Amino acid sequence: MTAAGDTDGAVALATAYADARNHARAEQVLRDALVTSPDNAVLLANLARVQVLAKQYDAAARNAHAALVVSPEYGFAIRIYAIALDAMGWVDQALYMAWRGVAQQPHDRVAHFVYAELLLKVGRPQDALVVVGEALRLDPTSADSHVLRGQILARLGMSEESTAAYEEALQLDPTNASAVHNIGVNRLARSKWSAAMSGFLGAARLDPELGDLARRNIGIALARLLRFATVGVLALGWLILVSTPAVGQGATLTVGHRISIGVGTLALAVYAGWLSRVVPMRTWRSTLRAQHTLALRVGLLACAIPLGLVAVFGDGLTVPGIVGTALVLAAVVVAVIGRFAGG
């Protein structure tokens, strides 16, 4: 049998490797320790934890279950088993195990955290709010619990309270990427575009693992903003077409019409400039490579500005008529593509 000191040493070393994201080495340390003590519940449960971190959920579930066979009331193993079952899609079983974990360790903040997380996942946010409240009572300094409370409040439609919870998390842990990201989500829901973008970009910088999620949300925000741009191009084209027949055939646009079209073109240019400031060029490139519909919307906006200037300074009615028709048709086509292709 492995001595308690040997077990503690193996767990401490494996934890250090896992914290450094060297999951393979952490697993090997625990497996080596299990050679001399294959029925050690502590080693089995910690091996399951490392496998959860490495996203080896089937193996994690097997080892957590093996730990519970040895020690059925071992709360840490129950919690890891619940997390592994959830990751495998066995949500009801995971919820039951998480409830068992709370019943077994009623004074453990993490047990309540896992249970609240699963309650939120199965659509019971009110129950989740009560459970995460208990987690925070047990440990008010847990930034992760404040983040989870913010997520629950957001699900309940309490946006301001949700943002306040995330801000409390950031007071405890200024580098908490999830809190920064989720504040961005709340601000996006309230059309605070610049603040939302800052949140997504800040979260990606703080935690590269959130990069994909942040980029998806940046894409959602840009899609909304670029839809406004497409509407603006359509309005500019319509304005040019309406102005063109208002003067006699063979004449030119009046000064008033030119000013109106110029103001519309300037508005699009200012909007394009604001977009370029809000989102870094590197983020634009990566987003547009992944979402071609957004690239079409950007291209439409970029073309509309010089065409608007052509309409303002061109002679006669032929050029403005062509420009107006082209902008209207292009905006309609891009809008239809975006409607069916997304973006």
Side-chain angles (χ1 to χ4, degrees):
M1 295 292 290
T2 300
D6 294 339
T7 298
D8 291 344
V11 169
L13 182 58
T15 300
Y17 278 123
D19 289 344
R21 299 187 180 181
N22 189 346
H23 301 133
R25 187 72 186 103
E27 182 172 346
Q28 190 58 52
V29 168
L30 293 166
R31 288 194 181 280
D32 290 345
L34 281 164
V35 170
T36 56
S37 184
D39 295 327
N40 186 309
V42 173
L43 293 174
L44 287 166
N46 276 276
L47 176 59
R49 172 184 175 270
V50 170
Q51 290 167 330
V52 164
L53 294 173
K55 297 182 170 56
Q56 300 173 17
Y57 301 119
D58 288 350
R62 287 195 300 271
N63 284 307
H65 182 267
L68 290 172
V69 170
V70 176
S71 180
E73 307 304 320
Y74 185 17
F76 177 68
I78 291 172
R79 186 164 69 242
I80 297 299
Y81 193 33
I83 294 170
L85 288 171
D86 174 48
M88 294 167 62
W90 296 79
V91 181
D92 291 339
Q93 293 86 340
L95 186 64
Y96 168 71
M97 294 305 299
W99 171 81
R100 270 190 60 190
V102 169
Q104 191 62 34
Q105 295 182 305
H107 303 297
D108 187 329
R109 192 273 310 176
V110 181
H112 286 86
F113 178 91
V114 172
Y115 188 35
E117 205 169 34
L118 286 168
L119 285 169
L120 178 63
K121 187 169 187 176
V122 299
R124 294 167 57 185
Q126 290 285 3
D127 293 334
L129 188 60
V130 173
V131 176
V132 81
E134 179 63 13
L136 282 167
R137 187 190 68 80
L138 292 167
D139 183 6
T141 64
S142 169
D144 288 341
S145 294
H146 283 287
V147 170
L148 179 56
R149 184 170 181 272
Q151 293 170 335
I152 295 167
L153 290 167
R155 180 74 65 85
L156 291 169
M158 303 168 69
S159 177
E160 291 185 8
E161 293 85 349
S162 171
T163 298
Y166 297 139
E167 288 171 346
E168 287 186 55
L170 288 174
Q171 288 179 0
L172 295 165
D173 177 14
T175 63
N176 192 298
S178 294
V180 173
H181 176 274
N182 291 344
I183 287 175
V185 172
N186 285 354
R187 287 171 174 166
L188 177 61
R190 301 180 68 179
S191 300
K192 295 183 177 179
W193 309 106
S194 183
M197 291 291 185
S198 297
F200 299 145
L201 293 169
R205 282 193 296 270
L206 289 169
D207 184 358
E209 290 189 359
L210 278 178
D212 288 342
L213 177 60
R215 279 188 288 274
R216 281 198 298 274
N217 283 325
I218 288 171
I220 291 171
L222 287 179
R224 295 182 185 179
L225 291 170
L226 289 170
R227 287 189 196 111
F228 294 148
T230 302
V231 172
V233 173
L234 180 64
L236 177 61
W238 175 83
L239 177 61
I240 295 171
L241 288 178
V242 167
S243 300
T244 302
V247 236
Q249 181 66 29
T252 61
L253 298 179
T254 66
V255 173
H257 290 130
R258 291 181 190 276
I259 291 174
S260 299
I261 296 168
V263 169
T265 304
L266 179 61
L268 288 180
V270 170
Y271 191 68
W274 176 76
L275 286 176
S276 67
R277 288 196 307 274
V278 170
V279 184
M281 190 55 63
R282 182 174 60 183
T283 305
W284 271 114
R285 285 195 293 266
S286 62
T287 303
L288 297 182
R289 277 198 300 268
Q291 302 190 43
H292 297 155
T293 304
L294 297 188
L296 279 177
R297 292 189 186 275
V298 170
L300 176 65
L301 176 60
C303 291
I305 295 168
L307 288 176
L309 292 175
V310 168
V312 170
F313 296 107
D315 291 329
L317 297 177
T318 303
V319 171
I322 293 173
V323 168
T325 302
L327 290 179
V328 169
L329 290 177
V332 170
V333 168
V334 168
V336 171
I337 291 173
R339 174 69 178 83
F340 290 99

Tab-separated table of all heavy atoms in Angstrom, residues 122-175:
chain	number	residue	atom	x	y	z
A	122	VAL	N	-29.606	22.753	-16.749
A	122	VAL	CA	-30.861	22.037	-17.024
A	122	VAL	C	-32.067	22.972	-16.980
A	122	VAL	O	-33.211	22.508	-17.016
A	122	VAL	CB	-31.060	20.860	-16.031
A	122	VAL	CG1	-29.927	19.861	-16.153
A	122	VAL	CG2	-31.196	21.353	-14.589
A	123	GLY	N	-31.829	24.294	-16.913
A	123	GLY	CA	-32.934	25.240	-16.996
A	123	GLY	C	-33.631	25.513	-15.686
A	123	GLY	O	-34.835	25.809	-15.668
A	124	ARG	N	-32.894	25.469	-14.582
A	124	ARG	CA	-33.469	25.779	-13.267
A	124	ARG	C	-32.689	26.940	-12.626
A	124	ARG	O	-32.044	26.777	-11.592
A	124	ARG	CB	-33.440	24.534	-12.375
A	124	ARG	CG	-34.355	23.419	-12.870
A	124	ARG	CD	-34.085	22.096	-12.168
A	124	ARG	NE	-34.219	22.187	-10.723
A	124	ARG	CZ	-33.938	21.172	-9.883
A	124	ARG	NH1	-33.507	20.008	-10.388
A	124	ARG	NH2	-34.070	21.326	-8.575
A	125	PRO	N	-32.744	28.118	-13.256
A	125	PRO	CA	-31.919	29.224	-12.760
A	125	PRO	C	-32.297	29.713	-11.364
A	125	PRO	O	-31.429	30.152	-10.603
A	125	PRO	CB	-32.125	30.317	-13.813
A	125	PRO	CG	-33.424	29.988	-14.467
A	125	PRO	CD	-33.504	28.502	-14.454
A	126	GLN	N	-33.575	29.650	-11.011
A	126	GLN	CA	-33.970	30.091	-9.669
A	126	GLN	C	-33.343	29.206	-8.600
A	126	GLN	O	-32.813	29.690	-7.589
A	126	GLN	CB	-35.499	30.083	-9.539
A	126	GLN	CG	-36.209	31.160	-10.347
A	126	GLN	CD	-36.060	32.548	-9.717
A	126	GLN	OE1	-35.380	32.718	-8.711
A	126	GLN	NE2	-36.680	33.552	-10.323
A	127	ASP	N	-33.386	27.882	-8.819
A	127	ASP	CA	-32.747	26.963	-7.877
A	127	ASP	C	-31.237	27.177	-7.872
A	127	ASP	O	-30.592	27.132	-6.819
A	127	ASP	CB	-33.061	25.512	-8.255
A	127	ASP	CG	-34.536	25.173	-8.080
A	127	ASP	OD1	-35.194	25.831	-7.251
A	127	ASP	OD2	-35.017	24.263	-8.773
A	128	ALA	N	-30.673	27.405	-9.060
A	128	ALA	CA	-29.232	27.623	-9.159
A	128	ALA	C	-28.818	28.866	-8.378
A	128	ALA	O	-27.752	28.884	-7.744
A	128	ALA	CB	-28.827	27.761	-10.623
A	129	LEU	N	-29.658	29.908	-8.400
A	129	LEU	CA	-29.333	31.148	-7.696
A	129	LEU	C	-29.265	30.909	-6.185
A	129	LEU	O	-28.383	31.450	-5.492
A	129	LEU	CB	-30.386	32.216	-8.016
A	129	LEU	CG	-30.103	33.629	-7.509
A	129	LEU	CD1	-28.811	34.178	-8.102
A	129	LEU	CD2	-31.282	34.546	-7.846
A	130	VAL	N	-30.159	30.073	-5.677
A	130	VAL	CA	-30.144	29.750	-4.245
A	130	VAL	C	-28.863	28.991	-3.890
A	130	VAL	O	-28.200	29.286	-2.890
A	130	VAL	CB	-31.385	28.918	-3.865
A	130	VAL	CG1	-31.290	28.441	-2.419
A	130	VAL	CG2	-32.659	29.726	-4.079
A	131	VAL	N	-28.504	28.022	-4.738
A	131	VAL	CA	-27.337	27.184	-4.440
A	131	VAL	C	-26.047	27.981	-4.544
A	131	VAL	O	-25.154	27.858	-3.701
A	131	VAL	CB	-27.307	25.959	-5.380
A	131	VAL	CG1	-26.045	25.136	-5.159
A	131	VAL	CG2	-28.538	25.091	-5.146
A	132	VAL	N	-25.928	28.825	-5.575
A	132	VAL	CA	-24.702	29.626	-5.693
A	132	VAL	C	-24.631	30.658	-4.567
A	132	VAL	O	-23.529	31.048	-4.134
A	132	VAL	CB	-24.599	30.297	-7.075
A	132	VAL	CG1	-25.432	31.573	-7.163
A	132	VAL	CG2	-23.142	30.620	-7.409
A	133	GLY	N	-25.781	31.079	-4.069
A	133	GLY	CA	-25.788	31.967	-2.907
A	133	GLY	C	-25.171	31.292	-1.691
A	133	GLY	O	-24.440	31.925	-0.918
A	134	GLU	N	-25.446	29.999	-1.533
A	134	GLU	CA	-24.828	29.249	-0.438
A	134	GLU	C	-23.326	29.102	-0.653
A	134	GLU	O	-22.542	29.194	0.300
A	134	GLU	CB	-25.492	27.870	-0.324
A	134	GLU	CG	-24.935	26.979	0.762
A	134	GLU	CD	-25.123	27.536	2.174
A	134	GLU	OE1	-25.905	28.495	2.351
A	134	GLU	OE2	-24.470	27.002	3.100
A	135	ALA	N	-22.930	28.900	-1.911
A	135	ALA	CA	-21.492	28.819	-2.210
A	135	ALA	C	-20.796	30.129	-1.825
A	135	ALA	O	-19.693	30.110	-1.262
A	135	ALA	CB	-21.285	28.513	-3.692
A	136	LEU	N	-21.445	31.249	-2.116
A	136	LEU	CA	-20.849	32.544	-1.783
A	136	LEU	C	-20.892	32.806	-0.275
A	136	LEU	O	-20.016	33.489	0.258
A	136	LEU	CB	-21.581	33.659	-2.533
A	136	LEU	CG	-21.196	33.778	-4.005
A	136	LEU	CD1	-22.175	34.663	-4.757
A	136	LEU	CD2	-19.777	34.333	-4.137
A	137	ARG	N	-21.883	32.281	0.401
A	137	ARG	CA	-21.910	32.410	1.869
A	137	ARG	C	-20.726	31.672	2.482
A	137	ARG	O	-20.088	32.155	3.424
A	137	ARG	CB	-23.219	31.860	2.425
A	137	ARG	CG	-23.401	32.106	3.917
A	137	ARG	CD	-24.579	31.333	4.473
A	137	ARG	NE	-24.345	29.899	4.458
A	137	ARG	CZ	-23.607	29.259	5.376
A	137	ARG	NH1	-23.045	29.925	6.369
A	137	ARG	NH2	-23.457	27.945	5.317
A	138	LEU	N	-20.418	30.502	1.902
A	138	LEU	CA	-19.306	29.707	2.416
A	138	LEU	C	-17.961	30.341	2.085
A	138	LEU	O	-17.008	30.239	2.858
A	138	LEU	CB	-19.376	28.292	1.835
A	138	LEU	CG	-20.556	27.441	2.311
A	138	LEU	CD1	-20.701	26.197	1.459
A	138	LEU	CD2	-20.371	27.068	3.787
A	139	ASP	N	-17.891	31.010	0.923
A	139	ASP	CA	-16.632	31.657	0.532
A	139	ASP	C	-16.943	32.893	-0.311
A	139	ASP	O	-17.011	32.808	-1.540
A	139	ASP	CB	-15.743	30.680	-0.246
A	139	ASP	CG	-14.401	31.299	-0.608
A	139	ASP	OD1	-14.122	32.430	-0.161
A	139	ASP	OD2	-13.624	30.655	-1.349
A	140	PRO	N	-17.130	34.046	0.342
A	140	PRO	CA	-17.466	35.270	-0.403
A	140	PRO	C	-16.333	35.765	-1.297
A	140	PRO	O	-16.563	36.643	-2.129
A	140	PRO	CB	-17.750	36.294	0.709
A	140	PRO	CG	-17.904	35.507	1.962
A	140	PRO	CD	-17.086	34.277	1.797
A	141	THR	N	-15.129	35.222	-1.128
A	141	THR	CA	-13.982	35.704	-1.905
A	141	THR	C	-13.761	34.904	-3.189
A	141	THR	O	-12.761	35.114	-3.871
A	141	THR	CB	-12.700	35.643	-1.050
A	141	THR	OG1	-12.403	34.270	-0.733
A	141	THR	CG2	-12.863	36.437	0.226
A	142	SER	N	-14.676	34.013	-3.504
A	142	SER	CA	-14.516	33.201	-4.714
A	142	SER	C	-14.992	33.974	-5.946
A	142	SER	O	-16.196	34.191	-6.138
A	142	SER	CB	-15.317	31.896	-4.594
A	142	SER	OG	-15.371	31.240	-5.852
A	143	ALA	N	-14.049	34.375	-6.783
A	143	ALA	CA	-14.409	35.100	-8.006
A	143	ALA	C	-15.247	34.228	-8.930
A	143	ALA	O	-16.198	34.710	-9.559
A	143	ALA	CB	-13.142	35.570	-8.722
A	144	ASP	N	-14.919	32.939	-9.017
A	144	ASP	CA	-15.667	32.043	-9.908
A	144	ASP	C	-17.135	31.951	-9.500
A	144	ASP	O	-18.023	31.878	-10.359
A	144	ASP	CB	-15.036	30.647	-9.904
A	144	ASP	CG	-13.709	30.607	-10.638
A	144	ASP	OD1	-13.444	31.529	-11.444
A	144	ASP	OD2	-12.934	29.668	-10.405
A	145	SER	N	-17.404	31.951	-8.193
A	145	SER	CA	-18.798	31.892	-7.740
A	145	SER	C	-19.543	33.172	-8.104
A	145	SER	O	-20.721	33.131	-8.477
A	145	SER	CB	-18.851	31.661	-6.225
A	145	SER	OG	-18.347	30.376	-5.897
A	146	HIS	N	-18.876	34.309	-8.015
A	146	HIS	CA	-19.510	35.565	-8.437
A	146	HIS	C	-19.801	35.549	-9.939
A	146	HIS	O	-20.840	36.042	-10.386
A	146	HIS	CB	-18.607	36.749	-8.090
A	146	HIS	CG	-18.632	37.126	-6.643
A	146	HIS	ND1	-19.708	37.757	-6.049
A	146	HIS	CD2	-17.705	36.950	-5.660
A	146	HIS	CE1	-19.458	37.965	-4.758
A	146	HIS	NE2	-18.243	37.493	-4.500
A	147	VAL	N	-18.880	34.977	-10.730
A	147	VAL	CA	-19.104	34.866	-12.173
A	147	VAL	C	-20.317	33.986	-12.456
A	147	VAL	O	-21.182	34.328	-13.285
A	147	VAL	CB	-17.850	34.312	-12.888
A	147	VAL	CG1	-18.170	33.974	-14.346
A	147	VAL	CG2	-16.718	35.324	-12.831
A	148	LEU	N	-20.403	32.844	-11.781
A	148	LEU	CA	-21.544	31.955	-11.984
A	148	LEU	C	-22.844	32.643	-11.571
A	148	LEU	O	-23.863	32.523	-12.259
A	148	LEU	CB	-21.355	30.666	-11.183
A	148	LEU	CG	-22.497	29.645	-11.276
A	148	LEU	CD1	-22.771	29.264	-12.726
A	148	LEU	CD2	-22.191	28.409	-10.436
A	149	ARG	N	-22.815	33.380	-10.475
A	149	ARG	CA	-24.010	34.133	-10.070
A	149	ARG	C	-24.401	35.140	-11.153
A	149	ARG	O	-25.581	35.315	-11.456
A	149	ARG	CB	-23.758	34.850	-8.743
A	149	ARG	CG	-24.983	35.591	-8.202
A	149	ARG	CD	-24.747	36.080	-6.785
A	149	ARG	NE	-25.940	36.771	-6.285
A	149	ARG	CZ	-26.179	38.076	-6.455
A	149	ARG	NH1	-25.278	38.846	-7.080
A	149	ARG	NH2	-27.295	38.614	-5.999
A	150	GLY	N	-23.402	35.779	-11.758
A	150	GLY	CA	-23.689	36.704	-12.855
A	150	GLY	C	-24.342	36.008	-14.034
A	150	GLY	O	-25.281	36.543	-14.644
A	151	GLN	N	-23.882	34.806	-14.353
A	151	GLN	CA	-24.480	34.048	-15.458
A	151	GLN	C	-25.925	33.669	-15.154
A	151	GLN	O	-26.793	33.725	-16.035
A	151	GLN	CB	-23.637	32.798	-15.716
A	151	GLN	CG	-22.255	33.085	-16.264
A	151	GLN	CD	-21.370	31.855	-16.285
A	151	GLN	OE1	-21.565	30.909	-15.519
A	151	GLN	NE2	-20.377	31.855	-17.164
A	152	ILE	N	-26.161	33.288	-13.909
A	152	ILE	CA	-27.530	32.920	-13.517
A	152	ILE	C	-28.452	34.138	-13.589
A	152	ILE	O	-29.577	34.063	-14.106
A	152	ILE	CB	-27.521	32.315	-12.096
A	152	ILE	CG1	-26.748	30.995	-12.083
A	152	ILE	CG2	-28.948	32.096	-11.601
A	152	ILE	CD1	-26.420	30.490	-10.692
A	153	LEU	N	-27.979	35.270	-13.088
A	153	LEU	CA	-28.789	36.488	-13.134
A	153	LEU	C	-29.061	36.918	-14.575
A	153	LEU	O	-30.154	37.393	-14.894
A	153	LEU	CB	-28.078	37.611	-12.369
A	153	LEU	CG	-28.022	37.437	-10.845
A	153	LEU	CD1	-27.041	38.424	-10.231
A	153	LEU	CD2	-29.416	37.604	-10.231
A	154	ALA	N	-28.068	36.737	-15.450
A	154	ALA	CA	-28.278	37.054	-16.864
A	154	ALA	C	-29.362	36.168	-17.450
A	154	ALA	O	-30.211	36.631	-18.233
A	154	ALA	CB	-26.972	36.895	-17.636
A	155	ARG	N	-29.354	34.885	-17.084
A	155	ARG	CA	-30.397	33.971	-17.576
A	155	ARG	C	-31.776	34.401	-17.074
A	155	ARG	O	-32.783	34.204	-17.773
A	155	ARG	CB	-30.081	32.555	-17.099
A	155	ARG	CG	-31.088	31.509	-17.557
A	155	ARG	CD	-30.942	31.180	-19.027
A	155	ARG	NE	-29.660	30.545	-19.273
A	155	ARG	CZ	-29.423	29.236	-19.131
A	155	ARG	NH1	-30.397	28.415	-18.746
A	155	ARG	NH2	-28.229	28.745	-19.401
A	156	LEU	N	-31.807	34.990	-15.899
A	156	LEU	CA	-33.086	35.453	-15.338
A	156	LEU	C	-33.493	36.825	-15.875
A	156	LEU	O	-34.504	37.380	-15.457
A	156	LEU	CB	-32.994	35.501	-13.805
A	156	LEU	CG	-32.900	34.145	-13.102
A	156	LEU	CD1	-32.545	34.330	-11.633
A	156	LEU	CD2	-34.208	33.377	-13.248
A	157	GLY	N	-32.696	37.373	-16.780
A	157	GLY	CA	-33.020	38.652	-17.384
A	157	GLY	C	-32.657	39.849	-16.532
A	157	GLY	O	-33.113	40.968	-16.795
A	158	MET	N	-31.810	39.650	-15.545
A	158	MET	CA	-31.416	40.736	-14.635
A	158	MET	C	-30.023	41.217	-15.039
A	158	MET	O	-29.019	40.922	-14.388
A	158	MET	CB	-31.455	40.239	-13.190
A	158	MET	CG	-32.832	39.697	-12.785
A	158	MET	SD	-32.834	38.783	-11.220
A	158	MET	CE	-32.518	40.099	-10.057
A	159	SER	N	-29.985	41.984	-16.119
A	159	SER	CA	-28.713	42.351	-16.736
A	159	SER	C	-27.845	43.220	-15.827
A	159	SER	O	-26.634	42.989	-15.693
A	159	SER	CB	-28.973	43.082	-18.059
A	159	SER	OG	-27.763	43.502	-18.645
A	160	GLU	N	-28.436	44.227	-15.202
A	160	GLU	CA	-27.645	45.124	-14.353
A	160	GLU	C	-27.070	44.386	-13.153
A	160	GLU	O	-25.899	44.572	-12.790
A	160	GLU	CB	-28.502	46.307	-13.899
A	160	GLU	CG	-28.862	47.267	-15.030
A	160	GLU	CD	-29.609	48.492	-14.528
A	160	GLU	OE1	-29.706	48.651	-13.283
A	160	GLU	OE2	-30.095	49.278	-15.362
A	161	GLU	N	-27.887	43.549	-12.521
A	161	GLU	CA	-27.411	42.774	-11.387
A	161	GLU	C	-26.339	41.785	-11.814
A	161	GLU	O	-25.370	41.534	-11.085
A	161	GLU	CB	-28.575	42.030	-10.725
A	161	GLU	CG	-29.597	42.933	-10.058
A	161	GLU	CD	-30.654	43.447	-11.036
A	161	GLU	OE1	-30.475	43.271	-12.263
A	161	GLU	OE2	-31.660	44.037	-10.574
A	162	SER	N	-26.518	41.232	-13.022
A	162	SER	CA	-25.520	40.311	-13.567
A	162	SER	C	-24.179	41.000	-13.755
A	162	SER	O	-23.130	40.493	-13.345
A	162	SER	CB	-26.020	39.753	-14.906
A	162	SER	OG	-25.010	39.028	-15.557
A	163	THR	N	-24.201	42.178	-14.361
A	163	THR	CA	-22.958	42.936	-14.561
A	163	THR	C	-22.309	43.280	-13.224
A	163	THR	O	-21.079	43.212	-13.084
A	163	THR	CB	-23.242	44.213	-15.366
A	163	THR	OG1	-23.752	43.848	-16.655
A	163	THR	CG2	-21.971	45.035	-15.551
A	164	ALA	N	-23.126	43.623	-12.229
A	164	ALA	CA	-22.587	43.934	-10.903
A	164	ALA	C	-21.875	42.719	-10.307
A	164	ALA	O	-20.821	42.861	-9.657
A	164	ALA	CB	-23.708	44.405	-9.974
A	165	ALA	N	-22.433	41.529	-10.530
A	165	ALA	CA	-21.791	40.313	-10.023
A	165	ALA	C	-20.444	40.085	-10.701
A	165	ALA	O	-19.455	39.705	-10.052
A	165	ALA	CB	-22.708	39.111	-10.244
A	166	TYR	N	-20.387	40.318	-12.013
A	166	TYR	CA	-19.117	40.172	-12.725
A	166	TYR	C	-18.093	41.200	-12.227
A	166	TYR	O	-16.897	40.889	-12.110
A	166	TYR	CB	-19.324	40.346	-14.234
A	166	TYR	CG	-20.210	39.298	-14.864
A	166	TYR	CD1	-21.161	39.648	-15.824
A	166	TYR	CD2	-20.107	37.959	-14.516
A	166	TYR	CE1	-21.969	38.696	-16.411
A	166	TYR	CE2	-20.925	36.999	-15.092
A	166	TYR	CZ	-21.858	37.372	-16.047
A	166	TYR	OH	-22.660	36.439	-16.625
A	167	GLU	N	-18.566	42.396	-11.951
A	167	GLU	CA	-17.649	43.427	-11.457
A	167	GLU	C	-17.118	43.083	-10.071
A	167	GLU	O	-15.950	43.366	-9.755
A	167	GLU	CB	-18.363	44.785	-11.450
A	167	GLU	CG	-18.583	45.329	-12.864
A	167	GLU	CD	-19.471	46.547	-12.906
A	167	GLU	OE1	-20.143	46.830	-11.868
A	167	GLU	OE2	-19.510	47.224	-13.951
A	168	GLU	N	-17.956	42.431	-9.244
A	168	GLU	CA	-17.468	41.955	-7.946
A	168	GLU	C	-16.386	40.907	-8.150
A	168	GLU	O	-15.383	40.881	-7.418
A	168	GLU	CB	-18.622	41.384	-7.135
A	168	GLU	CG	-19.583	42.426	-6.570
A	168	GLU	CD	-20.622	41.787	-5.665
A	168	GLU	OE1	-20.233	41.092	-4.704
A	168	GLU	OE2	-21.824	41.974	-5.941
A	169	ALA	N	-16.575	40.043	-9.136
A	169	ALA	CA	-15.561	39.022	-9.430
A	169	ALA	C	-14.245	39.679	-9.834
A	169	ALA	O	-13.167	39.244	-9.407
A	169	ALA	CB	-16.055	38.096	-10.531
A	170	LEU	N	-14.342	40.736	-10.621
A	170	LEU	CA	-13.121	41.416	-11.077
A	170	LEU	C	-12.435	42.171	-9.941
A	170	LEU	O	-11.208	42.348	-9.971
A	170	LEU	CB	-13.457	42.370	-12.225
A	170	LEU	CG	-13.787	41.682	-13.552
A	170	LEU	CD1	-14.256	42.693	-14.584
A	170	LEU	CD2	-12.578	40.913	-14.084
A	171	GLN	N	-13.184	42.605	-8.956
A	171	GLN	CA	-12.553	43.221	-7.786
A	171	GLN	C	-11.709	42.204	-7.034
A	171	GLN	O	-10.649	42.530	-6.487
A	171	GLN	CB	-13.621	43.812	-6.867
A	171	GLN	CG	-14.280	45.064	-7.428
A	171	GLN	CD	-15.344	45.614	-6.492
A	171	GLN	OE1	-15.589	45.065	-5.421
A	171	GLN	NE2	-15.979	46.713	-6.894
A	172	LEU	N	-12.175	40.951	-7.028
A	172	LEU	CA	-11.433	39.886	-6.354
A	172	LEU	C	-10.315	39.338	-7.230
A	172	LEU	O	-9.263	38.940	-6.728
A	172	LEU	CB	-12.399	38.752	-5.975
A	172	LEU	CG	-13.471	39.120	-4.952
A	172	LEU	CD1	-14.576	38.069	-4.938
A	172	LEU	CD2	-12.848	39.250	-3.558
A	173	ASP	N	-10.568	39.293	-8.537
A	173	ASP	CA	-9.584	38.743	-9.474
A	173	ASP	C	-9.627	39.565	-10.762
A	173	ASP	O	-10.403	39.271	-11.671
A	173	ASP	CB	-9.903	37.267	-9.770
A	173	ASP	CG	-8.962	36.661	-10.802
A	173	ASP	OD1	-7.921	37.279	-11.100
A	173	ASP	OD2	-9.266	35.554	-11.301
A	174	PRO	N	-8.798	40.605	-10.853
A	174	PRO	CA	-8.836	41.493	-12.036
A	174	PRO	C	-8.499	40.795	-13.349
A	174	PRO	O	-8.771	41.355	-14.410
A	174	PRO	CB	-7.776	42.555	-11.701
A	174	PRO	CG	-7.638	42.510	-10.212
A	174	PRO	CD	-7.850	41.082	-9.837
A	175	THR	N	-7.932	39.602	-13.289
A	175	THR	CA	-7.569	38.888	-14.520
A	175	THR	C	-8.585	37.804	-14.877
A	175	THR	O	-8.288	36.938	-15.706
A	175	THR	CB	-6.170	38.258	-14.379
A	175	THR	OG1	-6.190	37.272	-13.334
A	175	THR	CG2	-5.130	39.310	-14.057
